[in-house]
Amino acid sequence: MTTQEVAPSKTALVTGGNKGIGLAIVRGLARQGFTVLLGARSIEAGRRAASTLDGEVRPVVLDVTRQEDVDTLAAVVADEFGHLDVLVNNAGVNTLTFHPMDHLPTPTEETVEDIRNVYEVNVFAVVRMMNAFLPLLEQSDAPRVVNVTSKRGSIGEAGAWVGQPSMVYSSSKTALNALTVHYARAFADTAMKINGAAPGHVATDFNDFRGTRTPDEGAAVAVRLATLPADGPTGAVFEDDQQLAW
């Protein structure tokens, strides 16, 4: 590289990037020099969020449950960048997103419709995003995929967290962990690294700000997995530096 040449910046896309952990992930990647596409369901929400950050952050319209939004954005990324270096599947919902209750729903109170609504975002949308953006990730020299999951979806970890707060939410994250492993196995012989990031109990509107960690603390593991070296792990789930028995 000559002194006149400048290394191109890497490009990242974060779904649900306009608040909470997603916004913190965008901030962390922008600080590391990425051009970050901040996915939000409305351009107004995306612009408001992007205005609070430094670095190269671009708000983009992305409702992960809408195939049209996903396909349109994939075409834009292909046209402008020709590749994608990092995909962070962060967007997520829980049962209370759809019908708030005064108490956490028990398994007998959750319905098929609850499962469908939560899985549409937490599971099916990840498949939709992967199908659309894998061709662009494969054009990167060091592609990284991070699926934001939860220790509450773990089957192998012991402790009071596991299986809470609801059957629907927890099982959706169990399913997401399984998807993560399957995708990683499919690309095991390539440069792509695909992992799950469990941010811990973070104070956001997702839990009425009852968490004990800040969004930046919770986002740190996702940022680390998004910037793994070539010899980094794949097909694993991490909380901070600890690999979880998902």
Side-chain angles (χ1 to χ4, degrees), residues 21-172:
I21 296 169
L23 182 60
I25 294 171
V26 172
R27 178 165 46 244
L29 292 174
R31 285 173 175 169
Q32 297 214 20
F34 282 84
T35 295
V36 188
L37 306 178
L38 184 161
R41 285 181 294 176
S42 75
I43 194 62
E44 293 81 10
R47 286 171 178 162
R48 286 195 298 270
S51 70
T52 68
L53 304 175
D54 296 324
E56 187 65 26
V57 177
R58 304 187 191 182
V60 294
V61 174
L62 179 60
D63 180 339
V64 294
T65 68
R66 287 174 49 85
Q67 189 68 52
E68 181 181 4
D69 281 9
V70 174
D71 290 343
T72 297
L73 181 57
V76 169
V77 174
D79 182 62
E80 183 168 354
F81 301 102
H83 72 283
L84 183 67
D85 296 292
V86 171
L87 171 62
V88 181
N89 289 307
N90 166 75
V93 296
N94 60 25
T95 310
L96 301 184
T97 304
F98 301 99
H99 50 77
M101 303 177 183
D102 293 332
H103 66 282
L104 294 175
T106 67
T108 58
E109 292 172 320
E110 292 181 308
T111 67
V112 169
E113 194 62 25
D114 291 331
I115 294 174
R116 184 176 292 113
N117 288 335
V118 172
Y119 274 54
E120 182 62 47
V121 179
N122 295 4
V123 182
F124 306 151
V126 173
V127 177
R128 183 177 292 114
M129 291 294 296
M130 294 295 282
N131 287 343
F133 287 94
L134 274 171
L136 290 166
L137 287 161
E138 289 181 283
Q139 297 305 309
S140 170
D141 293 332
R144 303 289 181 261
V145 177
V146 182
N147 293 328
V148 177
T149 183
S150 172
K151 195 173 184 178
R152 297 177 187 241
S154 171
I155 295 173
E157 292 290 328
W161 275 72
V162 179
Q164 300 295 326
S166 76
M167 175 181 71
V168 171
Y169 175 77
S170 297
S171 66
S172 76

